[in-house]
Amino acid sequence: MSQNIHNEKILILDFGSQYSQLIARRVREAHVYCELHPFDLTLDQIQAYGPKGIILSGGPTSVYEEGAPQIAEELFELGVPVLGICYGMQLMSRHFGGEVIPAGKREYGHAELRAKGVPGPLFDDFFLAGKSSVWMSHGDHVARVPEGFQVVAATENAPVCAIQQLERNLFGVQFHPEVNHTPRGELLIDRFVRHICGCNGQWTPGRIIEDAMDRIRQQVGGERVILGLSGGVDSSVAATLIHRAIGDQLTCVFVDTGLLRLGEGDQVMHTFAENMGVKVIRVDAEQRFLDGLAGVTDPERKRKIIGGLFVDIFEEEAARITDARWLAQGTIYPDVIESAGAKTGKAQNIKSHHNVGGLPEYMKLSLLEPLRELFKDEVRAIGEELGLPHAMVWRHPFPGPGLGVRILGEVRKEYADILRLADAIYMEELYRTGHYEKISQAFAVFLPVKSVGVMGDGRTYEYVVALRAVETRDFMTAGWYPLPYEDLARISGRIINEVKGVNRVVYDISSKPPATIEWE
């Protein structure tokens, strides 16, 4: 089974575009396996990969600059279809003798694409009445197309916006079909991988599960596996998948940090230990985390302390399982990509990641990462296929350090208890009003500042809670969610009335960028 679902592969070469992961996600949504790799793969590496098609991403540089990213010269001679997006199209044009110049008018944002001539096999069904709305992000454009290429579409400011060379199955688009702002973009990517590249679409949740279980059994054999269960989507799906594959060979260690959401520890034990029969060891470590965080205010230091303590406590428990040979982790594909980017210097490290980093040598355990190839939406899909509760699988993202980075400044038990209850009220109201499933991520933040208030004719001087809710598809950009005033009023009233220590609630209306989604 493993060979079947991986034998239809699309290779995406990344030239540094902020949208590169989105290209991969759109290919996966077409039920075709793909991988994202740096642009400088050698021809031998590309041939060894054996792609059915290649996509060249956009990028921030100009193709004519000295030292601009290039590709293996023979790539276009491999005989497989190639789709160039933005920088990728410019690179393809220049390679075949076309001309790329700085645009007289740069295009950033929405543009109206107009068809020119016969659309061709890639662009069938893309245009409606000869037009399509697309998202642009470029300062250069193709001024002269290479010999043998046809111009398929143009915008007001870019006379060459889509090109094709049908004999070689080469295609290029100046716009970004991978982003939400190009409404029919996913149709174009689907058509490239399914129609042009001839992929049948074998990358489905059921087949992914079968393939993963086969590989787990082959890797592990009869040996014992331990897994750090956090209650989050990734570790929960990993635990369920591994338990389905090898049963009692799996032991989960659930470290209760004291920085989880209200009732989360009990919920984890109920779902896995009681309902599914998974062996789970629960460790109450709240005081150790509070002691370790005492007096610490810097967000990155808090993350490192929480991560370090988690590893220490997990190792203590793992040492008691003397026959364990494997450590399982809920690492997913974006973790792998971002970690690789940080190691190669091609990505800026905004926050340290809790999932990727390898194992201390002295642990003497082999690593098992059954979700390593999957994006978050794919993890959720197989979680539902495995029978996990819908509310657990589609829960909003929760940071690895938990409430430790939703309490601004120093972490104290008093603050964590206040935030837990305020957040639970917020989530309860979002569920009740039907907003929860429309919002991509929502949470409460504890602000360690006090403000004056009045309750029962008396003066109060208590803490502030901020509410955050965003809508996004890719979490790379996000807009704040417009909760109706009446719902905000009800949530604010409940928190102030029911959570002792809070007398003011504010709503965060910042978008990403310039703000991040989390406050720390």
Side-chain angles (χ1 to χ4, degrees):
M1 181 64 69
S2 174
Q3 185 178 4
N4 290 339
I5 69 168
H6 291 87
N7 92 8
E8 293 187 340
K9 294 181 285 192
I10 299 295
L11 172 63
I12 302 163
L13 295 180
D14 182 13
F15 291 89
S17 169
Q18 60 181 317
Y19 304 131
S20 294
Q21 284 194 38
L22 290 183
I23 301 172
R25 287 181 60 188
R26 298 296 171 262
V27 174
R28 298 284 186 87
E29 286 168 7
H31 302 300
V32 175
Y33 180 68
C34 66
E35 288 181 15
L36 182 64
H37 287 279
F39 65 87
D40 53 2
L41 286 189
T42 66
L43 187 67
D44 286 345
Q45 289 172 319
I46 293 170
Q47 288 177 310
Y49 183 79
K52 299 273 283 185
I54 297 171
I55 299 177
L56 311 177
S57 85
T61 52
S62 296
V63 294
Y64 47 76
E65 287 179 8
E66 187 176 346
Q70 301 296 320
I71 49 174
E73 285 289 318
E74 302 89 345
L75 179 144
F76 295 108
E77 310 304 322
L78 292 177
V80 300
V82 180
L83 170 63
I85 296 174
C86 198
Y87 182 92
M89 168 177 141
Q90 295 168 9
L91 193 68
M92 181 190 296
S93 297
R94 202 158 187 262
H95 174 85
F96 285 102
E99 185 181 10
V100 180
I101 62 172
K105 285 187 177 179
R106 296 182 297 174
E107 286 187 305
Y108 296 99
H110 285 286
E112 184 180 87
L113 191 70
R114 300 186 308 275
K116 295 185 70 174
V118 179
L122 179 62
F123 301 94
D124 275 354
D125 303 325
F126 182 70
F127 297 102
L128 296 174
K131 299 177 182 178
S132 189
S133 177
V134 297
W135 184 259
M136 292 287 204
S137 181
H138 68 102
D140 300 334
H141 69 216
V142 176
R144 178 171 50 81
V145 296
E147 187 177 343
F149 280 74
Q150 298 171 298
V151 179
V152 179
T155 66
E156 185 178 349
N157 296 319
V160 180
C161 232
I163 59 175
Q164 61 186 13
Q165 214 284 18
L166 298 181
E167 290 180 7
R168 290 172 173 263
N169 265 335
L170 303 178
F171 303 87
V173 292
Q174 184 60 70
F175 58 91
H176 288 272
E178 69 271 26
V179 303
N180 284 347
H181 302 298
T182 299
R184 298 170 64 79
E186 73 279 3
L187 298 177
L188 191 145
I189 291 178
D190 184 285
R191 193 158 182 81
F192 177 72
V193 300
R194 300 289 291 269
H195 181 75
I196 304 296
C197 300
C199 297
N200 295 316
Q202 300 170 352
W203 191 254
T204 61
R207 286 179 171 173
I208 293 169
I209 289 169
E210 288 181 37
D211 172 76
M213 291 199 302
D214 284 347
R215 287 198 281 170
I216 290 166
R217 291 175 185 131
Q218 288 170 12
Q219 280 183 271
V220 171
E223 295 174 333
R224 187 167 295 281
V225 178
I226 53 176
L227 179 145
L229 185 62
S230 68
V233 174
D234 302 335
S235 71
S236 296
V237 173
T240 306
L241 187 59
I242 295 167
H243 184 256
R244 180 78 62 89
I246 60 172
D248 291 344
Q249 290 170 241
L250 171 68
T251 300
C252 294
V253 176
F254 172 47
V255 178
D256 191 339
T257 64
L259 302 172
L260 301 175
R261 291 166 283 198
L262 190 68
E264 191 162 18
D266 293 339
Q267 182 189 52
V268 168
M269 296 304 293
H270 176 74
T271 300
F272 289 95
E274 296 171 31
N275 281 2
M276 293 171 53
V278 179
K279 184 178 180 182
V280 182
I281 299 169
R282 183 175 185 174
V283 184
D284 181 1
E286 179 183 50
Q287 197 56 52
R288 284 182 67 174
F289 280 88
L290 290 173
D291 291 344
L293 292 166
V296 179
T297 58
D298 178 72
E300 190 64 10
R301 273 200 68 206
K302 288 197 292 185
R303 286 175 178 272
K304 291 188 181 303
I305 289 168
I306 292 167
L309 273 172
F310 186 93
V311 170
D312 290 345
I313 295 165
F314 180 82
E315 287 176 10
E316 291 166 13
E317 294 302 318
R320 297 186 175 97
I321 308 170
T322 56
D323 58 343
R325 295 292 177 268
W326 293 85
L327 172 66
Q329 288 190 162
T331 307
I332 64 175
Y333 195 42
D335 303 339
V336 176
I337 295 170
E338 288 157 20
S339 176
K343 287 175 184 173
T344 60
K346 293 176 182 174
Q348 184 179 5
N349 186 27
I350 305 300
K351 298 173 185 174
S352 59
H353 205 282
H354 60 282
N355 260 0
V356 179
L359 298 172
E361 286 188 19
Y362 55 82
M363 285 192 74
K364 305 299 182 188
L365 296 173
S366 299
L367 203 55
L368 180 66
E369 297 174 311
L371 310 181
R372 187 180 177 88
E373 295 177 337
L374 305 179
F375 285 100
K376 176 73 81 173
D377 49 352
E378 295 174 310
V379 173
R380 294 188 195 277
I382 71 167
E384 285 212 286
E385 187 94 2
L386 288 165
L388 282 171
H390 178 83
M392 172 181 278
V393 171
W394 289 99
R395 221 170 174 185
H396 291 173
F398 189 62
L403 300 183
V405 290
R406 289 181 178 172
I407 296 167
L408 299 199
E410 184 182 9
V411 177
R412 300 180 185 175
K413 179 171 172 53
E414 173 197 4
Y415 300 167
D417 289 342
I418 288 172
L419 180 56
R420 242 189 297 273
L421 188 50
D423 188 77
I425 291 168
Y426 185 25
M427 295 307 109
E428 184 181 310
E429 287 295 326
L430 292 180
Y431 273 115
R432 190 185 65 78
T433 54
H435 291 294
Y436 188 89
E437 302 243 355
K438 300 174 186 176
I439 294 169
S440 305
Q441 188 170 1
F443 54 91
V445 180
F446 179 87
L447 307 184
V449 293
K450 290 188 173 182
S451 69
V452 174
V454 179
M455 289 184 181
D457 297 326
R459 177 186 183 275
T460 62
Y461 190 54
E462 295 179 332
Y463 295 108
V464 181
V465 165
L467 306 179
R468 180 78 158 136
V470 299
E471 46 188 352
T472 177
R473 188 169 177 182
D474 52 41
F475 289 89
M476 298 165 73
T477 61
W480 61 277
Y481 183 82
L483 270 173
Y485 292 143
E486 58 270 24
D487 293 331
L488 282 170
R490 186 183 308 106
I491 294 164
S492 173
R494 281 197 61 191
I495 290 173
I496 290 170
N497 287 327
E498 298 176 34
V499 183
K500 188 176 180 182
V502 177
N503 70 356
R504 194 176 299 269
V505 174
V506 298
Y507 192 59
D508 182 352
I509 57 169
S510 311
S511 295
K512 175 189 180 181
T516 53
I517 294 175
E518 296 282 352
W519 279 46
E520 286 194 344

